[in-house]
Amino acid sequence: MPENPGSSVLPHGKVYPDAVSALRDILKDGMTLMAGGFGACGVPENLIAAIRELGVRNLTFVSNNAGLDQFGLGVLLQTRQIRKMISSYVGENKEFERQYLAGELELEFNPQGTLAERIRAGGAGIYGFYTRTGAGTLVAEGKETRVVDGETYVFEKGLVADISLVKAWKGDTEGNLIYRKTARNFNPPMATAGRVTVAEVEELVEVGALDPDQIHTPGIYVKRIVAGKNYQRLIEKRTVRPRAGSKDALVA
Amino acid sequence: MPWSREDLAARAARELADGFYVNLGIGIPTLVANYIAPGMTVVLQSENGMLGMGPFPYEGDEDADLINAGKQTVTELPMSSYFSSADSFAMVRGGHIDLSVLGAMEVSESGDLANWMVPGKVVKGMGGAMDLVAGVKRVVVVMEHNSKDGAPKFKSKCELPLTGANVVDLLITDLAVFERASRREPFRLIEIAPGISRQELREKTPAHYLE
């Protein structure tokens, strides 16, 4: 909580004045966190920056990717605040590779759909599930398998986090969230799977401003919400086609 | 003469049918989108959470919130929809996607696929490949017949860690096309690249297949 109880930075209901104040009293060393995002898209940038500032260590992160060297979870790898990642693809991060090869970072690969479903299950109170994904591969090693009607299924457990960090496009003071385009990705299931879910939004509005029929994440899942700022709108792989009539009008 | 990358993409596109929902992998499979027959409606799924993926944006129209599974900027179409990664893979595992085209490092004669990991090399992760081969109705693999050092890739057994066991239905290489009628049957040679003899193909293919 803010040091000065009388100051204007007190939370108001679910609304916190900034990312640091939304995390300061709940974030501890050794916690398991989830962070939404796919590549550089839909990443809770402000909350990740706040974790860097708060300096906690030995974190386990559930996140589809590990960020880029200077973006997303990559910034927490630079500061050595992450002990373990549970991810499906970590390709674009040199510092990640270095720490992993040096044995400084633990890594658990999950197939992307299994990861998403483990998170969904965790949030929905489902202990685990059987899936065909990974049957007969390294992913199934050490896990229970079951043959049903000739198909082999692998048992996977649900995942929950101490804190889930999600990024949405718009949110209201009740915590209702709307995502934009493919920035939705892992954010909705992660919002349900955090013991405390903290959302950052590009635009924070009063209740009533969002159409209840268009809400993607109902506010019950979101305990704290902050208006984010300075979004980088980073693009990892800019692919374009020339406008018709230009000299090299070829589609890649 | 072996088929080119473009030939392979065009051949894979012949597996598409009107109304299909399709997921295309990274590399040659992505090129398949350029060979969808005129007048045919094929809806492309991007496993990060989009159906109805459109072409790359015009320069200046890129949107950081609109990317495909390869993290490339794309566009939406009038029929597009967005959803979470959990919904996306429910679609995949639930058998709602008609066809997936993927690349491979190795394929075995019993339809095993290896395309995510080389022991001793840096492993980037399997992404959505294991889910796709486990759930999509028909899996088409497009790959070079031999690796860069000449080693065969269509083998009796995969040596690399698997992405899926008994999951490949059609294999398109730069030398030949192999198909099997069901996942209980062996592959059969159905097409051969111009200038490649059946004997040469045999010599370059440790996998058992029917002719």
Side-chain angles (χ1 to χ4, degrees), chain B residues 12 18 21 24 43 66 68 99 117 174 192 211:
Chain B
D18 197 42
Y21 290 88
L24 300 177
V43 180
L66 183 41
N68 65 15
L99 184 100
M117 167 178 190
D174 54 339
I192 191 161
E211 286 191 38

Side-chain angles (χ1 to χ4, degrees), chain A residues 90 113 180 182 238-239 241, chain B residues 56 62-63 65 73 124 131:
Chain A
V90 295
R180 185 171 176 274
T182 56
R238 188 177 302 275
T239 43
R241 60 186 153 141
Chain B
F56 295 148
E62 311 92 296
D63 185 337
D65 285 342
T73 44
K124 294 183 170 186
D131 307 282

Side-chain angles (χ1 to χ4, degrees), chain B:
Chain B
M1 212 177 74
W3 285 312
S4 68
R5 284 164 58 89
E6 297 293 330
D7 292 335
L8 297 182
R11 176 61 187 82
R14 280 168 44 202
E15 299 302 312
L16 303 172
D18 197 42
F20 263 23
Y21 290 88
V22 173
N23 185 293
L24 300 177
I26 293 163
I28 297 174
T30 304
L31 301 176
V32 172
N34 297 338
Y35 294 94
I36 298 169
M40 185 185 282
T41 302
V42 169
V43 180
L44 298 179
Q45 198 244 21
S46 186
E47 64 265 26
N48 50 323
M50 179 182 197
L51 271 171
M53 188 169 39
F56 295 148
Y58 290 118
E59 205 167 343
D61 289 349
E62 311 92 296
D63 185 337
D65 285 342
L66 183 41
I67 62 171
N68 65 15
K71 285 131 190 170
Q72 297 170 312
T73 44
V74 292
T75 52
E76 64 187 24
L77 301 170
M79 99 274 264
S80 296
S81 58
Y82 300 107
F83 34 84
S84 76
S85 303
D87 289 327
S88 177
F89 283 96
M91 230 172 255
V92 167
R93 280 187 314 264
H96 305 282
I97 309 283
D98 296 290
L99 184 100
S100 182
V101 184
L102 297 167
M105 296 172 184
E106 290 178 344
V107 170
S108 83
E109 63 189 29
S110 57
D112 296 350
L113 168 68
N115 75 352
W116 76 283
M117 167 178 190
V118 179
K121 289 199 178 171
V122 173
V123 182
K124 294 183 170 186
M126 70 289 279
M130 286 191 181
D131 307 282
L132 285 163
V133 299
V136 171
K137 284 183 202 156
R138 184 168 155 82
V139 174
V140 174
V141 165
V142 176
M143 68 177 192
E144 307 291 322
H145 202 84
N146 297 87
S147 67
K148 286 194 186 83
D149 61 8
K153 295 171 69 177
F154 184 28
K155 309 165 89 159
S156 51
K157 206 168 179 287
C158 291
E159 278 155 55
L160 298 171
L162 297 187
T163 305
N166 189 14
V167 294
V168 180
D169 298 297
L170 181 75
L171 171 62
I172 303 169
T173 80
D174 54 339
L175 300 187
V177 182
F178 305 89
E179 188 173 36
R180 54 186 188 154
S182 82
R183 291 189 182 173
R184 274 179 237 97
E185 288 167 75
F187 283 96
R188 179 181 293 278
L189 174 68
I190 58 168
E191 288 160 44
I192 191 161
I196 307 295
S197 72
R198 283 171 182 258
Q199 188 187 339
E200 181 185 353
L201 186 66
R202 278 264 170 231
E203 286 163 5
K204 289 183 168 171
T205 313
H208 167 75
Y209 59 87
L210 305 174
E211 286 191 38

Side-chain angles (χ1 to χ4, degrees), chain A residues 3 11 13 20 35 47 55 58 85 93 115 122 125 137 161 175 181 196 200 214 249:
Chain A
E3 292 86 337
V20 168
L47 292 163
N58 290 318
M85 292 287 315
N93 192 316
L115 183 65
T137 77
K181 303 186 187 287
V196 179
E200 63 172 87
Q214 304 303 322

